[in-house]
Amino acid sequence: MNREDIARMRPLERKALLDEIVAMLMAGELRIGDAARILRSAVLGLDRQAFAQVVKLSERAIAKLEDDPHANPTLETLKRVFAPFGGTVTLMFPQVEDTESLGEDRRQRRAVILDALAKNRRRIRGNPKR
């Protein structure tokens, strides 16, 4: 999934993609930093520096959110990061969902999201696995 693929999507398809990212977050399949990275790079096509300027955060704050699995961002940081996508920070209790019962289109969307994440993940110094 790249910026051009998303640009060709109809509005309902883009909304379904955003909804799927939220569902994957709630199911624990994505970290919040992974979602931020996918949205920043694939949806907006921005590098960290440009995105940091748009959301009025430091590039370091964006990098920490995306790269550090133990990052503990403030609510204000999360509001700023997800605002360009119409996202809000809220408290929700997840519904129990059986991934086996997902439709083929949702399974494919999830595979595309995870593939995009793998392609956009930066290598962390000293850790060849990432």
Side-chain angles (χ1 to χ4, degrees), residues 9 13 15 17 27 67 73-74 83 90 94 96-97 104 109 111 114:
M9 288 180 173
E13 291 173 321
K15 175 67 170 111
L17 177 69
D67 293 339
T74 65
T90 185
V96 177
E97 183 178 290
E104 184 60 29
R109 254 195 314 272
L114 292 173

Side-chain angles (χ1 to χ4, degrees), residues 13-92:
E13 291 173 321
R14 278 192 295 277
K15 175 67 170 111
L17 177 69
L18 294 173
D19 289 345
E20 200 62 47
I21 289 171
V22 170
M24 292 172 76
L25 275 167
M26 292 177 67
E29 295 175 51
L30 288 178
R31 291 182 312 105
I32 196 132
D34 295 334
R37 179 192 320 273
I38 290 167
L39 293 170
R40 171 189 58 77
S41 62
V43 175
L44 293 181
L46 295 177
D47 62 23
R48 287 179 177 172
Q49 183 178 14
F51 185 68
Q53 290 174 349
V54 168
V55 297
K56 296 179 177 43
L57 290 169
S58 69
E59 188 176 347
R60 183 174 179 223
I62 302 298
K64 183 172 177 86
L65 174 64
E66 291 182 2
D67 293 339
D68 184 353
H70 303 292
N72 190 12
T74 65
L75 286 173
E76 185 60 31
T77 296
L78 294 175
K79 285 179 185 179
R80 288 181 184 203
V81 166
F82 294 108
F85 312 99
T88 59
V89 179
T90 185
L91 174 65
M92 291 184 61

